[in-house]
Amino acid sequence: MSKAYLILADGTIFEGTSIGAEGKTIGETVFTTGMTGYIETLTDPSYFGQIVTQTFPLIGNYGVESGDFESKKSWVRGYIVRELCDKPSNFRCEGDLDSFLREQNIVGITGIDTRKLTKILREAGVMNGMILSGDESEKLKTENGKLVAENSLLEEIRAYKIEKAVESVQSLCNENDGDFKGQRPLGEGVAENANGGCSEGETSPKIADSSSLTPKFSVVLFDFGAKANIERELEKRGCKVTVVPFDTTAQKVIELNPDGIMLSNGPGDPAENVNIIEEIRKLCESRIPIFGICLGHQMLALARGAKTSKLKYGHRGGNHPVKDLESGRVFITSQNHGYAVESETLPDYAKLSFVNANDNTCEGVTYTDIPAFSVQFHPEACGGPHDTNFLFDKFIEMMR
């Protein structure tokens, strides 16, 4: 395996070993604290434009299982791990992670101090980075026995910006036929083991033979970069799910006469999606029950008059505590976001429902003037935790 280098926008260089595809990639360097679920991370469209660092030191030990995919391709710009397991062991394993990264043309690096990298990102904040390997690594030079990056490389790194993320994810899905979501018969892909180990610990009953079930509710799922498990969770609860693209108008959604509307997760700056936010505002006037997750939560808040801002290093991983302000109970959640709703900007008809137990940022909102609520975290979490899975049941009750 050849050498690879990670260069941060501040000039810091890490030397490691190449994994996945060889070449050059630039992205926003972030870290996720998840101990498992690396396949879900790699295939989550919300990571579009980002170089993802796994803080857990050993990644790839259970291999790659297609049943765990959240979409049919990987969206990360690059991948960083401390140690990559090249001999996975799991009865569901279909291949190793390095081969998957090569197939997906993802440039990666292993063998670097991910603890040091994470500390840099925590203290300085999320910053752009570049991974170089193969012939591209020749662009580095040595001065006084130390590797340095030429100014042209640093300028290229610093100039990178994630723009039109939702639109880009959708267009790439269509271009590569990588999006396997869409209207499906009830329960397809929800049978036992269809979503890997994600059913473990769930409070809702499993559907054994979904083909014989009659849908009880009709839900329109706005796809801003939706994770597949959102659709699965709705189908498990007897919903016929119609997935519509990000640029669908409110009028077209209303004409479908749904019982409820789901606003999905997705990548990028929520405030950038001006047209989508305006259509969400119109949907709010329809009084159709609405449930928003992650980016959907942020854009719903923007549509109702609140503001969002970028966090220093975001929340990413499967171990983030949030507090339910009504019950006082703390739930462990899965999260993946770099922006947050500013609690102090919520209007009078918006009630803060959850807060992050670490930094007190907004994690959930319930609207008192319309049948709508949203959460910043992922209640459909796959692979876990499943503490807040009950929020889908709350959405079902709103549609009755």
Side-chain angles (χ1 to χ4, degrees):
M1 300 177 85
S2 61
K3 286 186 177 181
Y5 303 89
L6 169 67
I7 310 168
L8 298 180
D10 65 357
T12 303
I13 299 178
F14 292 84
E15 181 178 335
T17 303
S18 172
I19 56 173
E22 287 193 346
K24 179 179 78 173
T25 188
I26 305 174
E28 185 181 69
T29 312
V30 303
F31 64 87
T32 174
T33 57
M35 296 174 67
T36 185
Y38 55 83
I39 289 301
E40 290 86 347
T41 293
L42 285 165
T43 56
D44 181 351
S46 294
Y47 280 107
F48 172 83
Q50 298 178 332
I51 294 175
V52 177
T53 305
Q54 298 274 178
T55 61
F56 191 71
L58 178 64
I59 298 296
N61 54 310
Y62 54 85
V64 175
E65 300 85 25
S66 59
D68 294 341
F69 288 11
E70 292 291 355
S71 65
K72 278 194 175 178
K73 70 184 296 295
S74 179
W75 298 97
V76 303
R77 294 277 295 189
Y79 200 51
I80 303 170
V81 300
R82 175 67 184 88
E83 181 181 349
L84 182 73
C85 177
D86 57 0
K87 292 180 175 61
S89 177
N90 186 281
F91 74 99
R92 297 173 61 237
C93 180
E94 299 169 12
D96 64 275
L97 186 52
D98 184 45
S99 298
F100 173 77
L101 293 172
R102 288 200 303 271
E103 291 166 4
Q104 295 290 313
N105 199 32
I106 303 300
V107 178
I109 183 171
T110 186
I112 71 167
D113 189 343
T114 52
R115 182 181 177 85
K116 179 181 177 180
L117 173 59
T118 301
K119 284 184 175 180
I120 291 174
L121 298 178
R122 280 182 61 90
E123 293 170 9
V126 167
M127 68 175 78
N128 289 348
M130 173 188 288
I131 300 176
L132 294 175
S133 60
D135 295 339
E136 292 289 342
S137 61
E138 296 176 4
K139 295 181 180 179
L140 292 176
K141 58 183 180 179
T142 303
E143 291 183 0
N144 300 321
K146 183 180 179 181
L147 278 173
V148 295
E150 296 181 355
N151 287 334
S152 59
L153 279 181
L154 292 176
E155 289 173 2
E156 188 178 359
I157 293 169
R158 292 164 184 162
Y160 178 80
K161 187 177 181 181
I162 299 175
E163 295 179 308
K164 298 182 178 179
V166 172
E167 182 179 335
S168 297
V169 165
Q170 196 101 104
S171 63
L172 285 169
C173 278
N174 295 334
E175 181 181 310
N176 299 316
D177 192 28
D179 189 357
F180 68 100
K181 298 180 293 296
Q183 186 170 330
R184 299 196 307 249
L186 174 67
E188 183 178 325
V190 182
E192 188 169 358
N193 293 327
N195 58 341
C198 294
S199 59
E200 184 178 350
E202 287 181 0
T203 55
S204 299
K206 226 186 282 184
I207 291 178
D209 184 13
S210 57
S211 60
S212 63
L213 296 177
T214 301
K216 299 176 183 177
F217 305 98
S218 171
V219 174
V220 167
L221 170 57
F222 255 105
D223 183 4
F224 306 130
K227 293 171 63 181
N229 212 45
I230 293 176
E231 190 173 349
R232 294 188 188 112
E233 290 298 328
L234 291 169
E235 290 176 336
K236 285 180 182 179
R237 290 163 173 80
C239 296
K240 174 186 177 183
V241 181
T242 301
V243 182
V244 298
F246 73 99
D247 55 357
T248 305
T249 64
Q251 184 58 39
K252 287 183 178 179
V253 172
I254 293 170
E255 288 173 358
L256 291 172
N257 193 31
D259 297 305
I261 299 168
M262 172 67 71
L263 307 177
S264 84
N265 64 292
D269 182 350
E272 181 184 54
N273 304 293
V274 177
N275 293 335
I276 299 174
I277 292 166
E278 176 58 23
E279 295 305 317
I280 292 175
R281 185 189 64 77
K282 295 175 184 176
L283 286 173
C284 291
E285 296 173 356
S286 73
R287 301 194 66 80
I288 299 171
I290 297 175
F291 179 16
I293 292 175
C294 202
L295 182 67
H297 153 80
Q298 296 164 358
M299 292 197 291
L300 178 58
L302 288 167
R304 309 286 351 253
K307 295 180 180 179
T308 57
S309 57
K310 191 168 186 177
L311 298 172
K312 186 176 181 180
Y313 47 82
H315 302 147
R316 298 174 181 87
N319 47 10
H320 292 265
V322 300
K323 183 178 181 180
D324 183 339
L325 294 181
E326 184 173 338
S327 68
R329 181 177 175 181
V330 173
F331 298 93
I332 302 302
T333 67
S334 175
Q335 302 200 18
N336 173 20
H337 63 104
Y339 292 81
V341 174
E342 297 178 4
S343 301
E344 63 275 14
T345 68
L346 289 171
D348 294 339
Y349 47 79
K351 178 184 176 183
L352 188 64
S353 56
F354 293 93
V355 295
N356 190 288
N358 289 328
D359 59 17
N360 211 42
T361 53
C362 173
E363 290 283 359
V365 178
T366 298
Y367 296 91
T368 57
D369 62 330
I370 59 172
F373 72 101
S374 63
V375 291
Q376 181 64 76
F377 49 89
H378 288 266
E380 85 292 346
C382 197
H386 305 285
D387 294 29
T388 57
N389 200 258
F390 66 88
L391 290 170
F392 284 95
D393 300 320
K394 177 180 177 180
F395 183 45
I396 296 297
E397 288 301 313
M398 288 178 65
M399 294 188 287
R400 291 189 186 278

